């Protein structure tokens, strides 16, 4: 008997890619926050802050992905994204940011306040940006097709 391979559906592939993107985006956003906090100089970042970041960022990124999953950010059809999805992303960012602040203050090492603020803003922009850019590209493509039809 031959074993049949299960082929992933398009929405499953998109979900996995978004999941991986979110994980990486969270890691990048808080590193960028540290980098910005210390005048855009990697060598200026205090070692204790870098160590705390390295020790805790993967745990936080995993928590973000789980919260995003429960808030259904991976179930939305992003080409139809609207105000409801914007609110959902805002809620997800607020929840995960609160968890991060609590976790780092209680268990990890307390970080500068600007780290949390910059990190949240960058995380929100990266999370929302990739989702709405998909819709924006589809809208632009639709307009381009309409203008080409008018020229004919």
């Amino acid at each position: 008997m031959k074993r049949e391979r299960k082929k992933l559906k398009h929405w499953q592939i998109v979900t996995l890619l978004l999941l991986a993107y979110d994980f990486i985006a969270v890691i990048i956003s808080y590193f960028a926050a540290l980098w910005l906090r210390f005048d855009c100089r990697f060598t200026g970042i205090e070692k204790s802050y870098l160590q705390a970041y390295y020790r805790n960022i993967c745990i936080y990124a995993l928590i973000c992905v789980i919260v995003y999953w429960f808030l259904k950010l991976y179930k939305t059809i992003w080409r139809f994204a609207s105000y409801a999805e914007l609110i959902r992303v805002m809620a997800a960012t607020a929840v995960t940011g609160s968890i991060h602040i609590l976790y780092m203050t209680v268990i990890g090492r307390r970080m500068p306040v600007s780290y949390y603020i910059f990190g949240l803003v960058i995380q929100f922009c990266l999370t929302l940006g990739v989702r709405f850019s998909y819709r924006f590209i589809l809208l632009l493509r639709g307009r381009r097709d309409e203008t080409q039809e008018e020229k004919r």
Side-chain angles (χ1 to χ4, degrees), residues 1 10 13 20 32 39 106 119 143:
M1 278 190 243
H10 176 72
I13 294 170
D39 300 327
V106 174
R143 286 187 186 152

Side-chain angles (χ1 to χ4, degrees), residues 23-143:
F23 189 85
I24 293 167
V26 168
I27 292 171
I28 289 171
S29 64
Y30 280 90
F31 182 79
L34 263 180
W35 185 68
L36 286 170
R37 165 63 178 86
F38 289 96
D39 300 327
C40 302
R41 288 187 2 249
F42 180 75
T43 55
I45 302 172
E46 293 179 24
K47 279 192 175 195
S48 60
Y49 291 141
L50 263 179
Q51 289 170 347
Y53 167 81
Y54 290 138
R55 241 188 345 263
N56 299 300
I57 195 63
C58 286
I59 295 167
Y60 174 63
L62 184 62
I63 289 169
C64 285
V65 168
I66 292 168
V67 169
Y68 288 4
W69 184 271
F70 281 111
L71 290 176
K72 297 183 171 119
L73 291 185
Y74 300 117
K75 299 252 184 224
T76 302
I77 301 172
W78 287 101
R79 66 179 162 193
F80 303 118
S82 65
Y83 181 71
E85 283 74 29
L86 173 65
I87 296 299
R88 207 175 293 144
V89 172
M90 287 172 66
T93 305
V95 167
T96 57
S98 300
I99 291 170
H100 188 56
I101 291 168
L102 262 164
Y103 178 82
M104 290 301 287
T105 304
V106 174
I107 297 171
R109 183 189 194 299
R110 186 144 195 251
M111 303 291 268
V113 173
S114 59
Y115 164 81
Y116 300 115
I117 295 170
F118 289 151
L120 273 175
V121 169
I122 297 168
Q123 177 185 342
F124 176 74
C125 290
L126 291 177
T127 302
L128 190 68
V130 75
R131 286 162 169 82
F132 276 89
S133 65
Y134 180 67
R135 179 182 171 141
F136 184 69
I137 289 169
L138 290 177
L139 286 172
L140 286 179
R141 188 182 301 162
R143 286 187 186 152

